[in-house]
Amino acid sequence: MTRIVKFFETTLRDGEQTPGINYFAEEKLEIARALADMGFDTLDCGFAISGEPEFEAIRLIARNVSTAEICSICRCFPGDIDRAWEAVQDAAQGSIHPFISTSPLHREAKLGKTRAEVLELARTGVARGRQHTPNVDFALEDTTRTEHDFIFEVIDAVMKEGARFVALCDTVGFALPWEFGELVDEVRREFPTIRISAHCHDDLGLAVANALTALMHGAERVDTCVNGLGERAGNAATEEVVMAIRTRRKDLDLDVRVDTTKIIPTSRLIARLSGMRPQWTKAVVGANAFAHGGGIHQDGVLKDTRTYEIMRPEDIGLPPSERRMFVGKLSGRAALNAQLKELGYDLTPDQLARAFQLVKVILGKKRVLEEMDLRRCAEAAMSPTADVEALALETVGEDGRE
Ligand code: MN
């Protein structure tokens, strides 16, 4: 039976750790509402102990968003754990997420703690959390650089204390997909009843591949951020994981219970509030994700969009009118014709040929055509006396390139 993937949506926590982002409480609430409306299971809303504004923002979300589980993360110290629970305790469904670094590098260089000390903190952290709620998940920070016998020791301890999900974390984006898959296999062999969440970073551009691999190997849940935000190169992008699963669900035998038509509105909301627009070629939500530049591609898409598009714009909430035919140096007559039709020009084949010639001349001198340029081309092409070369010069000015 097709398995429904769960999401630990961390746009409001790891995503806000993106250097340069700082949401105010009302903005965090707006984002939380958008994510809850999309159908994500758990919203990781922040680090309650990190300060008063963050605590207040998490509590505001907990009190106002009831359709998703509201989570705060915490270190394994009693004060952290109690504060995290205090922030989410008013939620219809609240959870807390203690974590500790387990890798030798982090133990020695960052924490200055032995294996035994880290193990004890993990155990007591979960035990303390469980005094507040059964919804205690535990993360082994930097799992993928941790000795496997120690991973097992820690998991054994936290499961005995009643941890619900265990997050295997590729905190520094170091894992290769097959390694991460093997890790999930090994852990599941050792702990058949474990529920795994996969936390993957994108330092090598492998976050989504690692997350999907973990799911294929039996992880139940993935940690993701909209627009791929997060520490450094970011986390596995929510929209990419969602659409990879939805688009290939038959082959993966997985699916999502997410309203994909809210992907673009939510991505744009976060781009606006974070001040960070996704790169143009970003999968799913980039401005060019449904734009076509080459003449052969444009001709194909104009005949049947499926020739070069594996998703439908409407499925992610992108108005079909925003599917762009880019008229550039490499584009063809079909795209130009389509573009001119949208501007209200219906050219004969001869006129189109003249307009096309004019476009190419202009694009030898100017990088990008604007709407006015296209209009001039169409009008010149329709006037039998127009001098194409002279018009091109007039359009771009005497000094040529911008
Ligand atoms: Mn992270």
PDB file of all heavy atoms in Angstrom, residues 273-308:
ATOM      1  N   LEU A 273       8.847  37.660   2.986  1.00  0.00           N
ATOM      2  CA  LEU A 273       9.145  37.927   4.392  1.00  0.00           C
ATOM      3  C   LEU A 273      10.614  37.681   4.734  1.00  0.00           C
ATOM      4  O   LEU A 273      11.149  38.273   5.668  1.00  0.00           O
ATOM      5  CB  LEU A 273       8.241  37.086   5.302  1.00  0.00           C
ATOM      6  CG  LEU A 273       6.736  37.405   5.211  1.00  0.00           C
ATOM      7  CD1 LEU A 273       5.935  36.493   6.121  1.00  0.00           C
ATOM      8  CD2 LEU A 273       6.464  38.873   5.566  1.00  0.00           C
ATOM      9  N   SER A 274      11.258  36.805   3.989  1.00  0.00           N
ATOM     10  CA  SER A 274      12.676  36.524   4.269  1.00  0.00           C
ATOM     11  C   SER A 274      13.586  37.482   3.498  1.00  0.00           C
ATOM     12  O   SER A 274      14.754  37.630   3.826  1.00  0.00           O
ATOM     13  CB  SER A 274      13.025  35.087   3.865  1.00  0.00           C
ATOM     14  OG  SER A 274      12.945  34.934   2.457  1.00  0.00           O
ATOM     15  N   GLY A 275      13.026  38.095   2.464  1.00  0.00           N
ATOM     16  CA  GLY A 275      13.857  38.946   1.609  1.00  0.00           C
ATOM     17  C   GLY A 275      14.777  38.132   0.709  1.00  0.00           C
ATOM     18  O   GLY A 275      15.698  38.666   0.109  1.00  0.00           O
ATOM     19  N   MET A 276      14.548  36.827   0.618  1.00  0.00           N
ATOM     20  CA  MET A 276      15.403  35.975  -0.222  1.00  0.00           C
ATOM     21  C   MET A 276      14.586  35.278  -1.288  1.00  0.00           C
ATOM     22  O   MET A 276      13.821  34.365  -0.996  1.00  0.00           O
ATOM     23  CB  MET A 276      16.109  34.930   0.650  1.00  0.00           C
ATOM     24  CG  MET A 276      17.167  35.561   1.497  1.00  0.00           C
ATOM     25  SD  MET A 276      18.068  34.359   2.445  1.00  0.00           S
ATOM     26  CE  MET A 276      18.885  35.497   3.576  1.00  0.00           C
ATOM     27  N   ARG A 277      14.795  35.723  -2.514  1.00  0.00           N
ATOM     28  CA  ARG A 277      14.087  35.082  -3.620  1.00  0.00           C
ATOM     29  C   ARG A 277      14.873  33.869  -4.077  1.00  0.00           C
ATOM     30  O   ARG A 277      16.093  33.903  -4.137  1.00  0.00           O
ATOM     31  CB  ARG A 277      13.945  36.058  -4.787  1.00  0.00           C
ATOM     32  CG  ARG A 277      12.992  37.186  -4.476  1.00  0.00           C
ATOM     33  CD  ARG A 277      12.848  38.113  -5.657  1.00  0.00           C
ATOM     34  NE  ARG A 277      12.287  37.421  -6.821  1.00  0.00           N
ATOM     35  CZ  ARG A 277      12.038  38.026  -7.973  1.00  0.00           C
ATOM     36  NH1 ARG A 277      12.327  39.290  -8.128  1.00  0.00           N
ATOM     37  NH2 ARG A 277      11.520  37.352  -8.977  1.00  0.00           N
ATOM     38  N   PRO A 278      14.171  32.784  -4.409  1.00  0.00           N
ATOM     39  CA  PRO A 278      14.898  31.610  -4.908  1.00  0.00           C
ATOM     40  C   PRO A 278      15.644  31.953  -6.197  1.00  0.00           C
ATOM     41  O   PRO A 278      15.218  32.842  -6.928  1.00  0.00           O
ATOM     42  CB  PRO A 278      13.783  30.600  -5.208  1.00  0.00           C
ATOM     43  CG  PRO A 278      12.554  31.118  -4.555  1.00  0.00           C
ATOM     44  CD  PRO A 278      12.718  32.589  -4.377  1.00  0.00           C
ATOM     45  N   GLN A 279      16.744  31.257  -6.420  1.00  0.00           N
ATOM     46  CA  GLN A 279      17.473  31.466  -7.676  1.00  0.00           C
ATOM     47  C   GLN A 279      16.537  31.168  -8.855  1.00  0.00           C
ATOM     48  O   GLN A 279      15.615  30.365  -8.732  1.00  0.00           O
ATOM     49  CB  GLN A 279      18.689  30.545  -7.739  1.00  0.00           C
ATOM     50  CG  GLN A 279      18.309  29.076  -7.954  1.00  0.00           C
ATOM     51  CD  GLN A 279      19.479  28.138  -7.832  1.00  0.00           C
ATOM     52  OE1 GLN A 279      20.192  28.160  -6.841  1.00  0.00           O
ATOM     53  NE2 GLN A 279      19.686  27.316  -8.839  1.00  0.00           N
ATOM     54  N   TRP A 280      16.796  31.800  -9.991  1.00  0.00           N
ATOM     55  CA  TRP A 280      15.884  31.693 -11.129  1.00  0.00           C
ATOM     56  C   TRP A 280      15.670  30.248 -11.580  1.00  0.00           C
ATOM     57  O   TRP A 280      14.588  29.878 -11.983  1.00  0.00           O
ATOM     58  CB  TRP A 280      16.413  32.529 -12.299  1.00  0.00           C
ATOM     59  CG  TRP A 280      16.161  33.990 -12.093  1.00  0.00           C
ATOM     60  CD1 TRP A 280      16.372  34.698 -10.935  1.00  0.00           C
ATOM     61  CD2 TRP A 280      15.608  34.908 -13.028  1.00  0.00           C
ATOM     62  NE1 TRP A 280      15.993  36.014 -11.120  1.00  0.00           N
ATOM     63  CE2 TRP A 280      15.542  36.166 -12.391  1.00  0.00           C
ATOM     64  CE3 TRP A 280      15.186  34.789 -14.355  1.00  0.00           C
ATOM     65  CZ2 TRP A 280      15.037  37.291 -13.052  1.00  0.00           C
ATOM     66  CZ3 TRP A 280      14.697  35.919 -15.013  1.00  0.00           C
ATOM     67  CH2 TRP A 280      14.624  37.156 -14.342  1.00  0.00           C
ATOM     68  N   THR A 281      16.731  29.464 -11.523  1.00  0.00           N
ATOM     69  CA  THR A 281      16.608  28.089 -12.017  1.00  0.00           C
ATOM     70  C   THR A 281      16.257  27.103 -10.905  1.00  0.00           C
ATOM     71  O   THR A 281      16.359  25.899 -11.094  1.00  0.00           O
ATOM     72  CB  THR A 281      17.913  27.628 -12.687  1.00  0.00           C
ATOM     73  OG1 THR A 281      18.986  27.840 -11.743  1.00  0.00           O
ATOM     74  CG2 THR A 281      18.199  28.397 -13.956  1.00  0.00           C
ATOM     75  N   LYS A 282      15.858  27.589  -9.741  1.00  0.00           N
ATOM     76  CA  LYS A 282      15.512  26.708  -8.633  1.00  0.00           C
ATOM     77  C   LYS A 282      14.370  25.770  -9.040  1.00  0.00           C
ATOM     78  O   LYS A 282      13.372  26.209  -9.627  1.00  0.00           O
ATOM     79  CB  LYS A 282      15.072  27.582  -7.451  1.00  0.00           C
ATOM     80  CG  LYS A 282      14.355  26.890  -6.323  1.00  0.00           C
ATOM     81  CD  LYS A 282      15.340  26.269  -5.359  1.00  0.00           C
ATOM     82  CE  LYS A 282      14.641  25.620  -4.185  1.00  0.00           C
ATOM     83  NZ  LYS A 282      13.598  24.670  -4.578  1.00  0.00           N
ATOM     84  N   ALA A 283      14.521  24.482  -8.684  1.00  0.00           N
ATOM     85  CA  ALA A 283      13.488  23.499  -8.998  1.00  0.00           C
ATOM     86  C   ALA A 283      12.140  23.937  -8.429  1.00  0.00           C
ATOM     87  O   ALA A 283      12.067  24.483  -7.330  1.00  0.00           O
ATOM     88  CB  ALA A 283      13.870  22.143  -8.404  1.00  0.00           C
ATOM     89  N   VAL A 284      11.103  23.697  -9.155  1.00  0.00           N
ATOM     90  CA  VAL A 284       9.695  23.919  -8.801  1.00  0.00           C
ATOM     91  C   VAL A 284       9.309  25.391  -8.640  1.00  0.00           C
ATOM     92  O   VAL A 284       8.356  25.844  -9.271  1.00  0.00           O
ATOM     93  CB  VAL A 284       9.269  23.133  -7.519  1.00  0.00           C
ATOM     94  CG1 VAL A 284       7.770  23.270  -7.277  1.00  0.00           C
ATOM     95  CG2 VAL A 284       9.660  21.661  -7.638  1.00  0.00           C
ATOM     96  N   VAL A 285      10.027  26.152  -7.816  1.00  0.00           N
ATOM     97  CA  VAL A 285       9.561  27.507  -7.501  1.00  0.00           C
ATOM     98  C   VAL A 285      10.395  28.631  -8.125  1.00  0.00           C
ATOM     99  O   VAL A 285      10.069  29.796  -7.957  1.00  0.00           O
ATOM    100  CB  VAL A 285       9.487  27.741  -5.968  1.00  0.00           C
ATOM    101  CG1 VAL A 285       8.445  26.829  -5.345  1.00  0.00           C
ATOM    102  CG2 VAL A 285      10.850  27.538  -5.316  1.00  0.00           C
ATOM    103  N   GLY A 286      11.469  28.296  -8.829  1.00  0.00           N
ATOM    104  CA  GLY A 286      12.281  29.340  -9.456  1.00  0.00           C
ATOM    105  C   GLY A 286      11.492  30.045 -10.554  1.00  0.00           C
ATOM    106  O   GLY A 286      10.589  29.464 -11.157  1.00  0.00           O
ATOM    107  N   ALA A 287      11.846  31.318 -10.801  1.00  0.00           N
ATOM    108  CA  ALA A 287      11.107  32.102 -11.804  1.00  0.00           C
ATOM    109  C   ALA A 287      11.171  31.437 -13.180  1.00  0.00           C
ATOM    110  O   ALA A 287      10.295  31.628 -14.017  1.00  0.00           O
ATOM    111  CB  ALA A 287      11.674  33.519 -11.868  1.00  0.00           C
ATOM    112  N   ASN A 288      12.228  30.660 -13.431  1.00  0.00           N
ATOM    113  CA  ASN A 288      12.374  30.020 -14.734  1.00  0.00           C
ATOM    114  C   ASN A 288      11.932  28.560 -14.766  1.00  0.00           C
ATOM    115  O   ASN A 288      12.134  27.876 -15.766  1.00  0.00           O
ATOM    116  CB  ASN A 288      13.854  30.063 -15.172  1.00  0.00           C
ATOM    117  CG  ASN A 288      14.198  31.381 -15.829  1.00  0.00           C
ATOM    118  OD1 ASN A 288      13.369  32.285 -15.891  1.00  0.00           O
ATOM    119  ND2 ASN A 288      15.423  31.502 -16.311  1.00  0.00           N
ATOM    120  N   ALA A 289      11.366  28.078 -13.663  1.00  0.00           N
ATOM    121  CA  ALA A 289      11.053  26.639 -13.593  1.00  0.00           C
ATOM    122  C   ALA A 289      10.058  26.207 -14.670  1.00  0.00           C
ATOM    123  O   ALA A 289      10.001  25.037 -15.041  1.00  0.00           O
ATOM    124  CB  ALA A 289      10.544  26.262 -12.203  1.00  0.00           C
ATOM    125  N   PHE A 290       9.277  27.171 -15.175  1.00  0.00           N
ATOM    126  CA  PHE A 290       8.360  26.865 -16.277  1.00  0.00           C
ATOM    127  C   PHE A 290       8.574  27.859 -17.429  1.00  0.00           C
ATOM    128  O   PHE A 290       7.634  28.240 -18.110  1.00  0.00           O
ATOM    129  CB  PHE A 290       6.905  26.891 -15.801  1.00  0.00           C
ATOM    130  CG  PHE A 290       6.571  25.751 -14.882  1.00  0.00           C
ATOM    131  CD1 PHE A 290       6.859  25.829 -13.530  1.00  0.00           C
ATOM    132  CD2 PHE A 290       6.017  24.582 -15.390  1.00  0.00           C
ATOM    133  CE1 PHE A 290       6.577  24.761 -12.676  1.00  0.00           C
ATOM    134  CE2 PHE A 290       5.738  23.509 -14.545  1.00  0.00           C
ATOM    135  CZ  PHE A 290       6.020  23.599 -13.190  1.00  0.00           C
ATOM    136  N   ALA A 291       9.818  28.265 -17.635  1.00  0.00           N
ATOM    137  CA  ALA A 291      10.146  29.182 -18.731  1.00  0.00           C
ATOM    138  C   ALA A 291      11.000  28.435 -19.742  1.00  0.00           C
ATOM    139  O   ALA A 291      11.790  27.571 -19.380  1.00  0.00           O
ATOM    140  CB  ALA A 291      10.895  30.397 -18.190  1.00  0.00           C
ATOM    141  N   HIS A 292      10.816  28.781 -21.015  1.00  0.00           N
ATOM    142  CA  HIS A 292      11.513  28.048 -22.073  1.00  0.00           C
ATOM    143  C   HIS A 292      12.273  29.021 -22.952  1.00  0.00           C
ATOM    144  O   HIS A 292      11.733  30.026 -23.387  1.00  0.00           O
ATOM    145  CB  HIS A 292      10.503  27.234 -22.877  1.00  0.00           C
ATOM    146  CG  HIS A 292       9.691  26.317 -22.001  1.00  0.00           C
ATOM    147  ND1 HIS A 292      10.137  25.080 -21.627  1.00  0.00           N
ATOM    148  CD2 HIS A 292       8.497  26.498 -21.367  1.00  0.00           C
ATOM    149  CE1 HIS A 292       9.234  24.513 -20.813  1.00  0.00           C
ATOM    150  NE2 HIS A 292       8.236  25.366 -20.641  1.00  0.00           N
ATOM    151  N   GLY A 293      13.536  28.709 -23.196  1.00  0.00           N
ATOM    152  CA  GLY A 293      14.397  29.645 -23.904  1.00  0.00           C
ATOM    153  C   GLY A 293      14.817  29.209 -25.299  1.00  0.00           C
ATOM    154  O   GLY A 293      14.928  30.024 -26.202  1.00  0.00           O
ATOM    155  N   GLY A 294      15.039  27.928 -25.487  1.00  0.00           N
ATOM    156  CA  GLY A 294      15.533  27.446 -26.782  1.00  0.00           C
ATOM    157  C   GLY A 294      14.384  27.245 -27.764  1.00  0.00           C
ATOM    158  O   GLY A 294      13.295  26.829 -27.385  1.00  0.00           O
ATOM    159  N   GLY A 295      14.641  27.543 -29.030  1.00  0.00           N
ATOM    160  CA  GLY A 295      13.599  27.464 -30.053  1.00  0.00           C
ATOM    161  C   GLY A 295      12.969  26.089 -30.148  1.00  0.00           C
ATOM    162  O   GLY A 295      11.742  25.950 -30.284  1.00  0.00           O
ATOM    163  N   ILE A 296      13.788  25.048 -30.069  1.00  0.00           N
ATOM    164  CA  ILE A 296      13.257  23.684 -30.205  1.00  0.00           C
ATOM    165  C   ILE A 296      12.335  23.355 -29.041  1.00  0.00           C
ATOM    166  O   ILE A 296      11.258  22.776 -29.199  1.00  0.00           O
ATOM    167  CB  ILE A 296      14.437  22.681 -30.296  1.00  0.00           C
ATOM    168  CG1 ILE A 296      15.235  22.956 -31.583  1.00  0.00           C
ATOM    169  CG2 ILE A 296      13.947  21.247 -30.242  1.00  0.00           C
ATOM    170  CD1 ILE A 296      16.586  22.280 -31.629  1.00  0.00           C
ATOM    171  N   HIS A 297      12.761  23.761 -27.837  1.00  0.00           N
ATOM    172  CA  HIS A 297      11.939  23.527 -26.646  1.00  0.00           C
ATOM    173  C   HIS A 297      10.627  24.296 -26.745  1.00  0.00           C
ATOM    174  O   HIS A 297       9.554  23.783 -26.439  1.00  0.00           O
ATOM    175  CB  HIS A 297      12.688  23.979 -25.386  1.00  0.00           C
ATOM    176  CG  HIS A 297      13.843  23.101 -25.032  1.00  0.00           C
ATOM    177  ND1 HIS A 297      13.999  22.537 -23.793  1.00  0.00           N
ATOM    178  CD2 HIS A 297      14.906  22.672 -25.765  1.00  0.00           C
ATOM    179  CE1 HIS A 297      15.110  21.804 -23.768  1.00  0.00           C
ATOM    180  NE2 HIS A 297      15.683  21.888 -24.957  1.00  0.00           N
ATOM    181  N   GLN A 298      10.728  25.553 -27.162  1.00  0.00           N
ATOM    182  CA  GLN A 298       9.521  26.389 -27.231  1.00  0.00           C
ATOM    183  C   GLN A 298       8.509  25.816 -28.208  1.00  0.00           C
ATOM    184  O   GLN A 298       7.316  25.741 -27.915  1.00  0.00           O
ATOM    185  CB  GLN A 298       9.919  27.808 -27.641  1.00  0.00           C
ATOM    186  CG  GLN A 298      10.758  28.497 -26.576  1.00  0.00           C
ATOM    187  CD  GLN A 298      11.344  29.813 -27.042  1.00  0.00           C
ATOM    188  OE1 GLN A 298      11.554  30.022 -28.238  1.00  0.00           O
ATOM    189  NE2 GLN A 298      11.619  30.694 -26.097  1.00  0.00           N
ATOM    190  N   ASP A 299       9.022  25.386 -29.355  1.00  0.00           N
ATOM    191  CA  ASP A 299       8.137  24.798 -30.356  1.00  0.00           C
ATOM    192  C   ASP A 299       7.431  23.582 -29.766  1.00  0.00           C
ATOM    193  O   ASP A 299       6.217  23.410 -29.919  1.00  0.00           O
ATOM    194  CB  ASP A 299       8.967  24.410 -31.591  1.00  0.00           C
ATOM    195  CG  ASP A 299       8.105  23.826 -32.683  1.00  0.00           C
ATOM    196  OD1 ASP A 299       7.109  24.479 -33.044  1.00  0.00           O
ATOM    197  OD2 ASP A 299       8.414  22.710 -33.153  1.00  0.00           O
ATOM    198  N   GLY A 300       8.191  22.749 -29.034  1.00  0.00           N
ATOM    199  CA  GLY A 300       7.612  21.560 -28.407  1.00  0.00           C
ATOM    200  C   GLY A 300       6.539  21.910 -27.401  1.00  0.00           C
ATOM    201  O   GLY A 300       5.425  21.375 -27.444  1.00  0.00           O
ATOM    202  N   VAL A 301       6.845  22.840 -26.517  1.00  0.00           N
ATOM    203  CA  VAL A 301       5.900  23.197 -25.447  1.00  0.00           C
ATOM    204  C   VAL A 301       4.625  23.812 -26.021  1.00  0.00           C
ATOM    205  O   VAL A 301       3.525  23.560 -25.528  1.00  0.00           O
ATOM    206  CB  VAL A 301       6.566  24.157 -24.429  1.00  0.00           C
ATOM    207  CG1 VAL A 301       5.540  24.713 -23.449  1.00  0.00           C
ATOM    208  CG2 VAL A 301       7.660  23.420 -23.669  1.00  0.00           C
ATOM    209  N   LEU A 302       4.798  24.592 -27.094  1.00  0.00           N
ATOM    210  CA  LEU A 302       3.617  25.216 -27.691  1.00  0.00           C
ATOM    211  C   LEU A 302       2.717  24.154 -28.335  1.00  0.00           C
ATOM    212  O   LEU A 302       1.502  24.334 -28.418  1.00  0.00           O
ATOM    213  CB  LEU A 302       4.032  26.271 -28.721  1.00  0.00           C
ATOM    214  CG  LEU A 302       4.605  27.548 -28.080  1.00  0.00           C
ATOM    215  CD1 LEU A 302       5.335  28.397 -29.109  1.00  0.00           C
ATOM    216  CD2 LEU A 302       3.500  28.367 -27.404  1.00  0.00           C
ATOM    217  N   LYS A 303       3.326  23.041 -28.759  1.00  0.00           N
ATOM    218  CA  LYS A 303       2.509  21.971 -29.349  1.00  0.00           C
ATOM    219  C   LYS A 303       1.897  21.085 -28.269  1.00  0.00           C
ATOM    220  O   LYS A 303       0.758  20.666 -28.355  1.00  0.00           O
ATOM    221  CB  LYS A 303       3.367  21.127 -30.300  1.00  0.00           C
ATOM    222  CG  LYS A 303       3.690  21.872 -31.598  1.00  0.00           C
ATOM    223  CD  LYS A 303       4.693  21.127 -32.454  1.00  0.00           C
ATOM    224  CE  LYS A 303       4.881  21.842 -33.792  1.00  0.00           C
ATOM    225  NZ  LYS A 303       6.223  21.573 -34.352  1.00  0.00           N
ATOM    226  N   ASP A 304       2.687  20.777 -27.263  1.00  0.00           N
ATOM    227  CA  ASP A 304       2.217  19.915 -26.162  1.00  0.00           C
ATOM    228  C   ASP A 304       3.156  20.159 -24.978  1.00  0.00           C
ATOM    229  O   ASP A 304       4.334  19.813 -25.037  1.00  0.00           O
ATOM    230  CB  ASP A 304       2.268  18.443 -26.599  1.00  0.00           C
ATOM    231  CG  ASP A 304       1.691  17.511 -25.530  1.00  0.00           C
ATOM    232  OD1 ASP A 304       1.654  17.891 -24.332  1.00  0.00           O
ATOM    233  OD2 ASP A 304       1.285  16.396 -25.892  1.00  0.00           O
ATOM    234  N   THR A 305       2.619  20.749 -23.915  1.00  0.00           N
ATOM    235  CA  THR A 305       3.482  21.146 -22.787  1.00  0.00           C
ATOM    236  C   THR A 305       4.259  19.966 -22.215  1.00  0.00           C
ATOM    237  O   THR A 305       5.331  20.125 -21.652  1.00  0.00           O
ATOM    238  CB  THR A 305       2.651  21.771 -21.656  1.00  0.00           C
ATOM    239  OG1 THR A 305       1.654  20.832 -21.260  1.00  0.00           O
ATOM    240  CG2 THR A 305       1.993  23.065 -22.109  1.00  0.00           C
ATOM    241  N   ARG A 306       3.713  18.746 -22.359  1.00  0.00           N
ATOM    242  CA  ARG A 306       4.364  17.579 -21.753  1.00  0.00           C
ATOM    243  C   ARG A 306       5.715  17.263 -22.397  1.00  0.00           C
ATOM    244  O   ARG A 306       6.494  16.488 -21.862  1.00  0.00           O
ATOM    245  CB  ARG A 306       3.459  16.349 -21.854  1.00  0.00           C
ATOM    246  CG  ARG A 306       2.198  16.461 -21.000  1.00  0.00           C
ATOM    247  CD  ARG A 306       1.242  15.337 -21.285  1.00  0.00           C
ATOM    248  NE  ARG A 306       0.878  15.294 -22.710  1.00  0.00           N
ATOM    249  CZ  ARG A 306       0.160  14.338 -23.273  1.00  0.00           C
ATOM    250  NH1 ARG A 306      -0.286  13.332 -22.556  1.00  0.00           N
ATOM    251  NH2 ARG A 306      -0.129  14.385 -24.566  1.00  0.00           N
ATOM    252  N   THR A 307       5.960  17.884 -23.592  1.00  0.00           N
ATOM    253  CA  THR A 307       7.254  17.590 -24.244  1.00  0.00           C
ATOM    254  C   THR A 307       8.419  18.034 -23.374  1.00  0.00           C
ATOM    255  O   THR A 307       9.470  17.400 -23.372  1.00  0.00           O
ATOM    256  CB  THR A 307       7.357  18.273 -25.627  1.00  0.00           C
ATOM    257  OG1 THR A 307       7.066  19.672 -25.467  1.00  0.00           O
ATOM    258  CG2 THR A 307       6.407  17.652 -26.644  1.00  0.00           C
ATOM    259  N   TYR A 308       8.245  19.135 -22.644  1.00  0.00           N
ATOM    260  CA  TYR A 308       9.356  19.624 -21.812  1.00  0.00           C
ATOM    261  C   TYR A 308       8.973  19.975 -20.384  1.00  0.00           C
ATOM    262  O   TYR A 308       9.764  20.573 -19.679  1.00  0.00           O
ATOM    263  CB  TYR A 308      10.038  20.829 -22.479  1.00  0.00           C
ATOM    264  CG  TYR A 308      10.816  20.456 -23.720  1.00  0.00           C
ATOM    265  CD1 TYR A 308      10.263  20.604 -24.989  1.00  0.00           C
ATOM    266  CD2 TYR A 308      12.111  19.919 -23.614  1.00  0.00           C
ATOM    267  CE1 TYR A 308      10.965  20.242 -26.123  1.00  0.00           C
ATOM    268  CE2 TYR A 308      12.819  19.561 -24.744  1.00  0.00           C
ATOM    269  CZ  TYR A 308      12.237  19.717 -26.007  1.00  0.00           C
ATOM    270  OH  TYR A 308      12.947  19.357 -27.116  1.00  0.00           O
TER     271      TYR A 308
END
